[in-house]
Amino acid sequence: LSERARDVAIVGGGVAGCTAALYARRYGLDTLVLERAVLGGQAAVAVRIENYPGFPEGISGAELAQRIHEQAAKLGVEFVTAEVKGLARREDGTWLLHTDAEPVQAIAVIVATGAAPRRLRIPGEQELLGLGVSYCATCDGFFFRGRPVAVIGGGNTALEEALYLADLCPRVYVVHRRDALRADQYLQVRAAARANIEFVWDSVAVEVLGREQVEGLRIRNVKTNEERVLEVSGVFVAIGHEAQTEWLGSYVERNNGFIVTNERMETASPGLFAAGDVRDRPVRQITTAIGDATVAAYYAYYYVADFKARQQA
Ligand SMILES: Cc1cc2nc3c(=O)[nH]c(=O)nc-3n(C[C@H](O)[C@H](O)[C@H](O)COP(=O)(O)OP(=O)(O)OC[C@H]3O[C@@H](n4cnc5c(N)ncnc54)[C@H](O)[C@@H]3O)c2cc1C
C-alpha cells in the first residue's frame, strides 16, 4: 500500500483525467493520476482538432493533450503508469485501487477511463488487428493508399472515416446494417457526392478473411441472408464506442457499460466520480470531457473537505 491516502486519485490520463487533475491540484488537493498507456488518451491520436475553441487554425490532438498534461504536471500533479484493475471501499471510508503495480489509497476517486471503439466480435477481427483491421482511419488510413477498403457503420464516425479514406483509396465500401444512415445530413451529402464511395445497405460483416493480412470481408445481407465477399485490403470498424467499467463492480450504475452520474458527476457511491467519455451522455467530445472534469474536481474537492472535517470531529 502506498505510504499515504491521496486526497484524490484519478483513473485515466486523457483530457478528462488531466483536466480533473489540474483543477483538483488548484483546489490544493494531493492528486495522483493513474494512466495505463499513453497520456492524452483518444485526443492524442486525433490528427487535427478543429472544433476546440480558441484555435481557429486547429491544433493537433497530441499537442493539445500534451499542453493539458504539462499544465497539470507544472502544478504538482503526480502521474503514475499503472492499470487500475479493481477498487474497494475500506472500513475507514477511503478507496483502495488495485493496480498492476502498487495499490493506491484515496479519499475520492474520479474515473476518467474514456471509451474504446466497439468491436465487431467476428472471426478474423482480432487475428488481423493491425494487419488490415483498424478502428481509426485517420491513424492508419495512409497505409491503405491505392487499395480498396471497407468501413463498417452508418453514423458520423463511419462517414468521416469513409470521406477521409476516399481521398486515398480507389474504392471505399460503407457497410451498414440498415437501409438508411444515422450520420448528420451534411456528411451524407458529402459522401453521396463521392464516386468512389459505395454503400452496401442492409448488410453485416460476418468474417474478416486473410492469413498474413486482410484479403477480404465476408458480409451478409440481413434481408435475403445472402453472403458475398468484398475484396478489400483494409477493414475500418466504426460502430461506436464502449466503456470498460467492469472493474468498478457494483459501485456504479451503468447504461450500456457507461457510468451513470448526476450533474455533479457523482456516481452511485459517495466519493466516486466519473468524467469524460466513460460517462453516460449523448455527446463525446473534448469540450464535454473537459467540462465534466471541471465539475467532478469541484465536487471531489468538497467531498474531501467534508471527509477530513468529519475525521477531525
Ligand atoms: C481519431 C479521433 C479523433 C477525434 N477527433 C475529435 C475532435 O476533432 N474533436 C473533439 O472534440 N473530439 C474528438 N475526438 C473525441 C475525443 O478525443 C474524446 O471525446 C476525448 O478525448 C475523451 O477524453 P477522455 O479523457 O474522457 O477519455 P480518453 O481519451 O479515452 O482517455 C481515457 C484514458 O484512460 C486510460 N485508461 C482506461 N482504462 C484505464 C485503467 N483501468 N487504468 C488506467 N488507465 C486507464 C486510457 O488509456 C486513456 O488514456 C476524437 C477521437 C478520436 C479517437
Side-chain angles (χ1 to χ4, degrees):
L1 196 64
S2 60
E3 67 286 3
R4 65 181 192 278
R6 310 293 180 141
D7 289 334
V8 57
I10 295 166
V11 188
V15 291
C18 290
T19 303
L22 91 84
Y23 268 86
R25 197 61 207 119
R26 285 173 61 90
Y27 292 130
L29 300 182
D30 175 12
T31 306
L32 177 78
V33 174
L34 297 128
E35 167 57 54
R36 67 175 175 198
V38 184
L39 284 166
Q42 295 174 67
V45 298
V47 176
R48 196 121 204 106
I49 312 279
E50 294 181 348
N51 53 9
Y52 188 72
F55 294 89
E57 309 304 326
I59 182 169
S60 89
E63 185 182 350
L64 182 64
Q66 172 63 19
R67 283 170 176 243
I68 300 172
H69 164 238
E70 257 173 46
Q71 198 173 349
K74 215 166 115 184
L75 291 166
V77 172
E78 196 183 329
F79 289 88
V80 167
T81 303
E83 175 163 4
V84 178
K85 301 277 198 186
L87 93 168
R89 176 85 87 178
R90 288 163 42 101
E91 259 180 32
D92 64 3
T94 61
W95 292 103
L96 184 64
L97 293 171
H98 301 288
T99 79
D100 56 3
E102 291 286 295
V104 169
Q105 194 189 339
I107 297 173
V109 171
I110 299 175
V111 180
T113 48
R118 191 181 295 282
R119 313 236 154 182
L120 289 166
R121 299 192 166 83
I122 59 171
E125 180 186 27
Q126 185 61 35
E127 296 82 347
L128 292 160
L129 181 62
L131 301 169
V133 174
S134 167
Y135 300 88
C136 176
T138 46
C139 314
D140 302 331
F142 199 68
F143 302 118
F144 298 90
R145 245 176 334 154
R147 295 191 284 172
V149 295
V151 175
I152 298 160
N156 284 349
T157 311
L159 284 205
E160 277 165 11
E161 306 247 295
L163 283 163
Y164 178 81
L165 291 163
D167 286 337
L168 302 165
C169 307
R171 177 138 314 272
V172 180
Y173 298 99
V174 177
V175 180
H176 186 39
R177 60 164 61 241
R178 280 178 269 278
D179 59 5
L181 299 165
R182 274 178 292 114
D184 291 346
Q185 195 59 33
Y186 83 97
L187 285 171
Q188 296 199 29
V189 170
R190 279 171 62 191
R194 299 298 295 261
N196 60 339
I197 295 183
E198 184 179 319
F199 289 96
V200 184
W201 303 112
D202 299 314
S203 298
V204 292
V206 287
E207 185 179 3
V208 185
L209 306 170
R211 293 187 129 241
E212 313 267 284
Q213 58 182 53
V214 170
E215 286 159 17
L217 177 69
R218 188 187 304 284
I219 57 170
R220 190 180 65 235
N221 185 301
V222 290
K223 288 193 172 151
T224 63
N225 262 338
E226 242 171 67
E227 289 195 354
R228 69 175 168 123
V229 172
L230 299 177
E231 284 182 16
V232 291
S233 308
V235 174
F236 290 86
V237 183
I239 52 168
H241 282 74
E242 57 194 1
Q244 289 170 357
T245 55
E246 304 78 23
W247 63 274
L248 287 153
S250 54
Y251 287 113
V252 296
E253 192 192 319
R254 297 171 184 80
N255 183 14
N256 274 327
F258 292 93
I259 301 174
V260 175
T261 73
N262 60 17
E263 281 188 0
R264 300 174 171 205
M265 307 301 140
E266 292 164 335
T267 67
S269 302
L272 184 61
F273 301 80
D277 277 14
V278 73
R279 198 166 76 83
D280 179 37
R281 58 177 161 82
V283 180
R284 295 200 170 85
Q285 289 280 284
I286 295 172
T287 47
T288 50
I290 281 174
D292 282 3
T294 311
V295 177
Y298 181 79
Y299 287 103
Y301 164 69
Y302 279 106
Y303 179 84
V304 170
D306 270 0
F307 186 95
K308 287 181 175 172
R310 268 185 277 121
Q311 268 190 334
Q312 278 162 11

